[in-house]
Amino acid sequence: MSAPRQIIMVRHGQSAANQDTTIYERLPDYRIPLTELGRAQARASGREIREKLAGEQVCVYVSPYLRAYQTLDALGIADLTERIIEEPRLREQDWANFQDPAEIGEQRRLRNSYGHFFYRFREGESGSDVYDRVSAFMETLHRHWSKPAYAPNTLLVTHGLTMRLLCMRWFHWTVEYFESLNNPDNAGVHTLVRQPDGRYALDTAFTQWTERTTTDTVLSQVRERL
């Protein structure tokens, strides 16, 4: 197996919906574009990624959302890209079709009370649904890595929640630890780097809004309150 030297993950840059949530009412989520700031953020991340690649080729997996494709384009690494694979399993969490901001705002409040992993949007997915599809995607990755001509690096151009859940699956983090994690910034880069023993380590940890360890469980949290 020719496992890559590193698996680089980048969140899309700032989107029009990050600026104005009412856009969800009139434009499908997957067609929402980047803002000019989002393009600039992606260009800056592209310089960081180019340094990480150090002249080596990279195989790219990109979410089918417009903002992900625009982020990939703005990274400016076409000369190092061995191939691009559109990967629907790396898409954003499905919330609804055309979204009513007031309704979504109420569901966000409920999700904060219920928990981001298990709460299912009424017309969409739960975090656990996204976890299941990134788990299936990881199986595809391992099959691709078994090909001898695979590029020495992997790049995933995706979304913040998807990045956190992929790492949760990869490193076997608990649900309680996942719940403590903040989303990466727009165009934020996190990299899984292969170690001498063949395992991968996350180069930059996700920030946390509350202190939890990777082994905390719902049981340990209940015991803390007793």
Side-chain angles (χ1 to χ4, degrees):
M1 174 179 290
S2 54
R5 178 172 66 86
Q6 56 187 342
I7 306 162
I8 304 169
M9 303 177 295
V10 59
R11 184 189 175 195
H12 62 81
Q14 184 193 66
S15 74
N18 293 140
Q19 274 193 326
D20 176 14
T21 58
T22 65
I23 197 171
Y24 288 120
E25 294 181 281
R26 56 188 183 276
L27 195 64
D29 192 4
Y30 73 96
R31 291 188 176 275
I32 292 173
L34 293 182
T35 63
E36 285 306 311
L37 174 59
R39 292 178 184 275
Q41 290 170 332
R43 286 193 293 270
S45 292
R47 293 190 288 272
E48 178 183 349
I49 291 169
R50 180 174 287 276
E51 288 184 9
K52 288 177 177 289
L53 294 175
E56 294 180 342
Q57 291 286 294
V58 61
C59 182
V60 177
Y61 301 82
V62 59
S63 159
Y65 281 41
L66 176 60
R67 55 188 179 270
Y69 266 112
Q70 289 179 327
T71 296
L72 174 58
D73 184 60
L75 293 178
I77 57 168
D79 58 313
L80 298 176
T81 300
E82 184 259 337
R83 63 173 172 161
I84 298 171
I85 301 170
E86 181 176 282
E87 181 46 77
R89 289 170 294 185
L90 292 178
R91 70 186 185 273
E92 180 65 279
Q93 180 183 15
D94 294 330
W95 288 14
N97 294 318
F98 290 106
Q99 300 174 18
D100 177 348
E103 168 67 14
I104 292 296
E106 173 61 15
Q107 289 197 62
R108 279 176 181 253
R109 185 190 67 77
L110 292 172
R111 181 182 64 166
N112 289 341
S113 299
Y114 194 91
H116 287 219
F117 188 77
F118 291 114
Y119 182 82
R120 175 172 285 106
F121 284 90
R122 291 175 190 140
E123 296 180 31
E125 294 179 299
S126 66
S128 63
D129 293 327
V130 181
Y131 178 92
D132 290 342
R133 56 175 160 86
V134 297
S135 297
F137 168 65
M138 284 171 55
E139 295 175 3
T140 299
L141 273 183
H142 282 88
R143 288 197 300 273
H144 287 183
W145 294 345
S146 67
K147 299 175 182 178
Y150 190 87
N153 302 279
T154 296
L155 172 64
L156 313 180
V157 185
T158 182
H159 307 265
L161 181 86
T162 311
M163 287 170 61
R164 286 180 287 145
L165 286 166
L166 190 144
C167 287
M168 176 187 175
R169 175 65 180 82
W170 191 283
F171 295 112
H172 306 289
W173 293 341
T174 63
V175 170
E176 290 300 308
Y177 181 69
F178 165 78
E179 293 286 359
S180 77
L181 302 177
N182 291 316
N183 231 14
D185 293 334
N186 286 120
V189 177
H190 292 262
T191 304
L192 281 65
V193 181
R194 194 173 68 191
Q195 305 300 298
D197 64 0
R199 298 181 181 183
Y200 286 83
L202 190 61
D203 68 338
T204 304
F206 295 98
T207 62
Q208 294 178 274
W209 66 270
T210 187
E211 188 174 348
R212 294 284 185 273
T213 72
T214 57
T215 57
D216 279 342
T217 67
V218 64
L219 178 60
S220 60
Q221 295 306 306
V222 168
R223 283 174 172 166
E224 277 187 12
R225 299 186 185 101
L226 295 178

